[in-house]
Amino acid sequence: KEKDLTSPERGLLHVWHSAGPFDHLCPERVLLSRPVLQATLGEHHGVLLTQGGQVYSFGELLWRDLSIPVSAPLLEVSLLGKLVVHVAAGGFHCGALTEQGNIYMWGENTAGQCGLTDLGAVKNITGCVVDSEAIPPAAVRIVDLACGREHSLALSSQNELWAWGSGCQLGLVTNAFPVLKPQKVSFSMDFLQVACGAYHSLALVRSLPPQNYNTQKCPEKKERGQSPHFSVTGKEDMFAVDEAHYCPLGVELKDTLTREVSIIIKENLTNQIMDMAYILVVQILSTARPLHSFCNPGNERIEEFSAMWIHTQNLVLCLHPKTLSPTLYLQLYLRSYSNSGVFGPYSSSSPVCLEEVRLRLEAEKKELQWQKSSSLTNINQKAKTAANRRRSLPGTPTHGRNGWTAAHEEAGDGLPSLETEVWSWGRGSEGQLGHGDQLARLQPLCIKSLTGEEVIKVSAGSHHSLALSAQCQVYSWGSNMCGQLGHGSSPVTVPQQAKLSDGLRVWDVSAGQSHSLLLADGDCVQPILLYCGQCQESMPCPCINGLSFLGGQRCAVLADQNVMGFISTIHELASKERHFYCWLSSIRKLLLNPLQSVCSTLGEPRIHLFFSLCESFDHLNALIGQDSTSLNYFLHDVQRCNVTTLPLLTHTDCFLDSYKKYCSALGNVQVMGGFQSLHKLSLECLGSQQITLAQLCASDQSVSGDVDLVSLMYWPLQQLHQYSRVLLKLAACYDVLTVEYQYLHQTANQYESVYLSLLRRKKEAESTFLFWKTHSGKIAEVLRLPHRRIVCESSNRSLTLQKAGRFSHHWFILFNDALVHTQFSSHHVYPLTCLWVKPVTEDSNALYAIKITCPEETFTMVASTPQEKNKWLRSLNQAVDQVLGGGGQGSSPGVAVMSRAASYTFTGDGRFKDAHYHGSWLGGRVHGRGTMKWPDGRTYKGNFKNGQEDGYGECIIPNKVLNKPDSYQGNWKDGKIHGFGKYKYANGEVYEGCYYEGQRHGYGMLSSGKRIRASSSVFIGQWLQDKRTGYGVYDDITRLYILFASFLNKHEKYICINFDVMCVFSQGSGLLLSDDDTYFHGEFSDDWTINGKGVLSLVNGDCIDGQFSGEWSAGLKVVGTYTKPAINEPENKERSRLFKLGQYVVPADQRWGCVFNECWSRLGCDTAGRGERTKAWENIAVTITTARRHSPGLSRSQSKVLECLEFIPQHEESVTTANYDNIRRYLIKACETPLHPLGWLVETLVTVYRMTYIGVGSNRRLLSQAVQEVLAYLTHFNSIVRFLFPGLPEDGGIIPDPPISPSTSRCVANSLEQGVVVFSSSSLLLPLLLPQLYPPLFTLYCLQQEQEEAQYWERILQLNKQPDQSLLSFLGVQDSKDACFISAVETLQQISTTFTPSDKLLVIQKTFEELTQEVKPMLDDDFLWCMDDLLPLFIYVVIRARIRNLGAEVSLIEDLMDPNIQHGEMGLMFTTLKACYIQIQHESTI
């Protein structure tokens, strides 16, 4: 039964004449073939928008010389296919707005109102609005259009206003009329709606928060202001003038111009001079030219202008239909313009309305003489405070939607804004601008008296204006010749509230030529149409319900039949919401506002609660006002709106939260006894308002008229039930399978559920109030809190403590947030968030017990009967469930959440004394993630287990001495730092490494200060019980040396390196080696001060043996024997032995054992290779998963790699050629990810390696140690990889192929002949490790080969000076035939771009292949290389390749080459390269 939008009962058009006889006041239906979506009326014509976007015109179409009856309107063919969504009719022109935001206009264009340069009649045109100020110029999307007699206004989606046509009603600062192209009204405001009168304009503007007025361009200028709560009265009071100089025309006056104008006005002028002064004033304000430029005798006197005021008695008629079926209002668009104005239908108005200004100048002459202001009139209003000044200032505009309600939608919550202002400009001869005078305004000016009145719509008649507020109040001003303002018969120049009958709530207005229409709610759901204005007879007419339009002396109505009950339900919802908003506003005005002014006697707690109640009431009030306004807009476009866009559906959470907060604040006041105090205050301050307030009460009041404040304030909860009821009625209009039905039904259940929940809260508040009323005393003073509600209590001794004394008295009180145990005068409060309830199984003693577990205490309560036990058990579980965020309904006994998140402050002795914890709990103990804060500033944030810190956590420990905190990030176990972590000390030191039971233990790096400071140092190595021990490296910048250290068995032994000296020190003696191979072997201290026996050996073999003293770098004092060796004496073996550092240092396989132990530990193994392989893989997966969870800033590629590493690969099966590549790829990803244990191992090894051999550690004597260390890394690394992948074969073993089925044996026969794959740990692991170790290692090779390299490079430079043929001949290469071997040379040059020996050998192999390919055409097919032929040619390639440090490359390959290929083809090729290097090094030049 879904509503049919194409139903013939939709969009029914009715028309009647407003100024005709009484019989013509009844609307007559016009039969049309299509439902009408919108109708708008001009002076003598009208425009219809029908379903499908088609546009029709009717009436006197003067620009076409046609007269079209409304029953047969003329289709605007040129607009077919344009998707028109809005139409507008001016005095004698029309406009259409499309869905894309384009404007089409046609009709009379004598004043440029159609936006064309041709000032004649216009058929149909496209009037696209272009912002010429934008770069490049861009089309403006229009969402609303309004037309006057000689001007047009358009509202853009950016809430900007555009105008074109003629007259001051455009709001443009210009004196060139007509304006033929749309121009932006240069006011930085958010325009919400626009309306055009005959020669004036109105705009609804969003109010913006107050800003600093000093930021304006003219600091001297002061804004006029008025309280936003200004109450509109029925009199036109003249307001006091403040000190601001403000022009009533809406134009800023410069100081010089102000003085000049004032001089002219204050003189006693004749009529002729007054005319001249009037002209000068207008022209000065329009062009800001110097005064003397206008003083010429050519100005002619302007004829006097007089207006006739017609006073008629106000006539309000209620119209009832006689022949129509009951119809309901859908949409209201009202346009009206005068057809009998003094200027005539086609007269061109003056740009600045000179006549109106002149008329007021003489009348205000005397008043201006005593005013301090130099403005032209006295309409300035004294602001009460700076905060109450006008709030519409430049701000950021928001986007709107199509239609006249486009800009009403707020950007934040999607609901209409009630913080609005009304601005007006144009002619004001009838007071239609609302500024308290009859002057014109050149630019938009705020109507101060409407600021803060929550205006939601404005409507402009020919010479009067209407404004509708969200509280269903109508304000009118301007011409009142026919009583069209709804109050009296005199013209009004400031907005006044229309006088309406009690119970009428107006929710739409429209202004015509000399009449107005008001649409209001009556006693029934159908709206009532009220008429104010010209009528020949004052007799009541039938009431119609429908959509009304005004224009000239004609009215039109659009009506809908009640289609499937949908229309009546929508109207019922909107009517009840408007009634509710008016009720809330009355309560605020009559009750809360007076009580707020006298509530100081309530006492501090109750004052705070009362103001919280008022705040929640205001929030609910504002929300209801926005919703009622939104429903008004929904009704205006109900044919094109979706029911799922109703605010009750789109903002359900917002509504429910507002009601919940309001009910909570209400209950808090009630619990604390606030309503009794407020009732006494209301009797004192309300006075006669008590009767009015009593009429607003839903419940029956006593004869005395006293108001039941509790019932009155709880009445808004009934609206939730109304929402549910109306939404269910709407759902009944749809089929049960539709989305609309499901949405409406689901939301209705939500509102009903919350309504029932709030009723229970109300009952709880009442019970709690009665409880405290009967249990007053000291305990009430301590335990009585606003948010606390009583659940049950054991005052009848139904519950006691287990093993309680005979004469002890125990009283248990269960609140919604705590369990209170009182005994005599003492009590203890147990928060329910940290309370665990468990029933005790009944034993032979027949005890009906309940066990209560708290963070610091456990006790058992014993009930008197099984029923009492079940009652308390159910109440406790429900209370705990509700306080933890559950519904608290239907909880079974014993079903309390064991795991939860809660906050608690510890009070007992222990590690957590006075600490506040927030996080996860399990069975009464902290367990899971949480944060613990101590009063002294200590903070721990991380994981807990069984009441102690366990897992990853971050801790901050304040240091009062240094006034800086220590911080730790890492792993914990059993409440102590345990595992890997990073500790930052307050003194600047940082330790990153392993801990064991709170002490540094295992691998760790301790850095002190910053590396750029002279006092910084770094130690990387092994720790034992918080002390450095074992192997490590120490870098002290202050002394410029790196320390090789072994502290085993307390025998200090190290190698210390300076820039030019190496020291081997052990127990007070050692060896000092200088860079030129001079050494000292003897006794010296750790600061290199020599004092004792020793032997100094020089480079030439001479030595001095004796007693030495002094510093090595400053000079030595020697007492000893000088020995010079004989010429034929053999080499000193002792000297050679001293240069070998291996005897002093720790063996390579024993270095960094703590690093590898930590890696084994992360895999879950106690020692190397001892552990469960399955557990190791599980630990890897958990580590990766945890790292992803704690690293939200990972890039997409990093997340993808971690996701791949989370999956455990196949590791138990034997390795074949099919899965070997999978293992290799997995190891590559793992080693590139520091979060993986293998990646951490690689990163740490690289760190310690670079720490040792970079910088000062780059000493050529350490090369052998560096190479041995790399090989040791490979050995340890290989053991870890084999543990993870046990199927890997031994080094030199063959990796088998996967089993081949008979069907595929032929396909792989050729691949079997290609050879076998030999496994090598170095080929698998060296590519993972060596690229990052390559820079320091290769540097050491270069230093070691420095002399040989210099000799080699000298030969290379000399030999490369020779031409190719000359060089080839010199090397003994025959029959080269001009071959240059460029490809082989370029290939060999790539050896410097590779890192691993295997890659370098591949480069050598490719070089030989390129060399063979180039030589092959010169030789026979069966030619085989011999060394005599190959070596000279390869020497040529090496010379032309010009490879720097080739000796270092050769040495690196030789030391780290895979032994499996050492004697193969690649080994021979490498030997050839090495031979070439040696040959070149000793080659003589040509």
Side-chain angles (χ1 to χ4, degrees), residues 16 42 114 258 283 291 317 379-380 574 606 616 635 638 659 724 814 885 952 1003 1156 1220 1327 1454-1455:
W16 76 95
C114 287
T258 302
Q283 291 182 340
L291 181 62
L317 301 178
I379 66 168
N380 290 345
R606 292 178 180 176
S616 61
L635 290 173
V638 70
Y659 276 97
S724 177
L814 179 59
Y952 180 83
Y1003 164 77
F1156 294 100
Y1220 177 71
E1454 187 175 16
D1455 292 340

Side-chain angles (χ1 to χ4, degrees), residues 1241-1456:
L1241 176 62
V1242 172
E1243 184 182 52
T1244 305
L1245 292 177
V1246 171
T1247 300
V1248 299
Y1249 194 86
R1250 291 185 175 184
M1251 180 76 178
T1252 307
Y1253 301 110
I1254 282 184
V1256 182
S1258 295
N1259 193 292
R1260 57 187 175 85
R1261 294 188 177 90
L1262 298 181
L1263 174 61
S1264 60
Q1265 303 303 318
V1267 174
Q1268 293 176 17
E1269 194 164 326
V1270 171
L1271 297 176
Y1273 290 171
L1274 293 178
T1275 302
H1276 290 292
F1277 202 179
N1278 184 42
S1279 63
I1280 296 176
V1281 172
R1282 287 187 178 277
F1283 174 77
L1284 295 176
F1285 299 97
L1288 288 172
E1290 297 294 332
D1291 275 6
I1294 297 176
I1295 301 178
D1297 293 320
I1300 301 175
S1301 60
S1303 60
T1304 60
S1305 59
R1306 295 181 180 179
C1307 300
V1308 297
N1310 296 330
S1311 62
L1312 293 175
E1313 298 176 358
Q1314 296 178 358
V1316 296
V1317 179
V1318 179
F1319 174 76
S1320 173
S1321 60
S1322 62
S1323 62
L1324 177 64
L1325 304 179
L1326 205 57
L1328 306 177
L1329 193 61
L1330 190 58
Q1332 301 182 65
L1333 304 180
Y1334 187 81
L1337 179 61
F1338 191 74
T1339 301
L1340 292 176
Y1341 273 110
C1342 293
L1343 293 175
Q1344 180 68 23
Q1345 302 288 336
E1346 187 173 5
Q1347 295 181 358
E1348 292 81 358
E1349 290 287 354
Q1351 187 177 2
Y1352 156 77
W1353 189 246
E1354 181 182 358
R1355 298 294 188 275
I1356 288 291
L1357 294 178
Q1358 292 178 357
L1359 293 174
N1360 271 289
K1361 294 178 181 180
Q1362 306 303 320
D1364 293 335
Q1365 292 301 320
S1366 175
L1367 182 60
L1368 288 171
S1369 299
F1370 173 75
L1371 296 176
V1373 179
Q1374 305 297 328
D1375 301 328
S1376 60
K1377 297 182 181 180
D1378 298 331
C1380 298
F1381 309 104
I1382 296 177
S1383 59
V1385 171
E1386 293 177 349
T1387 302
L1388 185 60
Q1389 288 174 343
Q1390 298 176 10
I1391 195 172
S1392 300
T1393 63
T1394 56
F1395 301 107
T1396 63
S1398 58
D1399 293 337
K1400 294 180 183 296
L1401 290 174
L1402 287 175
V1403 171
I1404 299 174
Q1405 184 182 25
K1406 291 180 180 179
T1407 303
F1408 274 98
E1409 292 175 357
E1410 293 292 336
L1411 191 62
T1412 303
Q1413 291 295 329
E1414 196 163 353
V1415 174
K1416 191 174 182 179
M1418 309 176 191
L1419 305 174
D1420 299 334
D1421 295 338
D1422 57 351
F1423 175 79
L1424 295 176
W1425 283 106
C1426 66
M1427 187 58 66
D1428 293 338
D1429 296 329
L1430 178 62
L1431 185 61
L1433 188 58
F1434 201 72
I1435 291 176
Y1436 171 81
V1437 173
V1438 173
I1439 292 174
R1440 285 294 189 242
R1442 296 179 179 90
I1443 301 173
R1444 295 296 301 262
N1445 302 315
L1446 181 59
E1449 301 279 5
V1450 171
S1451 299
L1452 186 146
I1453 297 174
E1454 187 175 16
D1455 292 340
L1456 301 178

